[in-house]
Amino acid sequence: MTSHVSDEQIRELAATARPFSLAELRWGPARHQEGAGAIELEHQRRMVSLRADGVIAVLCPVASDTVAGLAIMTVPTGEAEEIMAADPCVRAGMMTCDVLPCFGFPGDRLPG
């Protein structure tokens, strides 16, 4: 069942939108290089640290042969691009990353 949403509710929600950055990580050509496990562990440690520091608001690893994960970041797009360019998996060619500007709404969260 779909909830009924009025035009006024849409306008009220739209007025609360805040800018975020969406980082899309895709598996790259060097995914299975020698030492990949250790590099990926450092990537995971870094991503979880960025989450703990509030730089990543939502972290979503993806079970896919093409997409490695998504992260909604609380920093401007340019800063997010710099952060992700320094990622161990991106630097090693195991992953590529595209960062897109996006918007979110206060209070949005994944169900517990």
Side-chain angles (χ1 to χ4, degrees), residues 13-98:
L13 181 62
T16 69
R18 291 185 43 214
F20 292 93
S21 297
L22 174 67
E24 178 189 39
L25 289 159
R26 292 190 162 273
W27 290 112
R31 177 180 182 184
H32 300 292
Q33 66 182 275
E34 187 174 328
I39 296 168
E40 189 171 349
L41 182 59
E42 286 309 307
H43 155 80
Q44 292 167 348
R45 185 180 329 281
R46 186 169 184 271
M47 296 297 280
V48 172
S49 293
L50 289 167
R51 181 178 174 269
D53 292 342
V55 174
I56 294 177
V58 178
L59 180 58
C60 294
V62 176
S64 166
D65 289 334
T66 55
V67 178
L70 301 170
I72 298 175
M73 303 179 74
T74 60
V75 296
T77 304
E79 186 177 345
E81 289 170 341
E82 290 177 16
I83 290 168
M84 295 312 300
D87 180 86
C89 282
V90 172
R91 291 181 56 186
M94 292 174 58
M95 294 179 186
T96 62
C97 184
D98 289 320

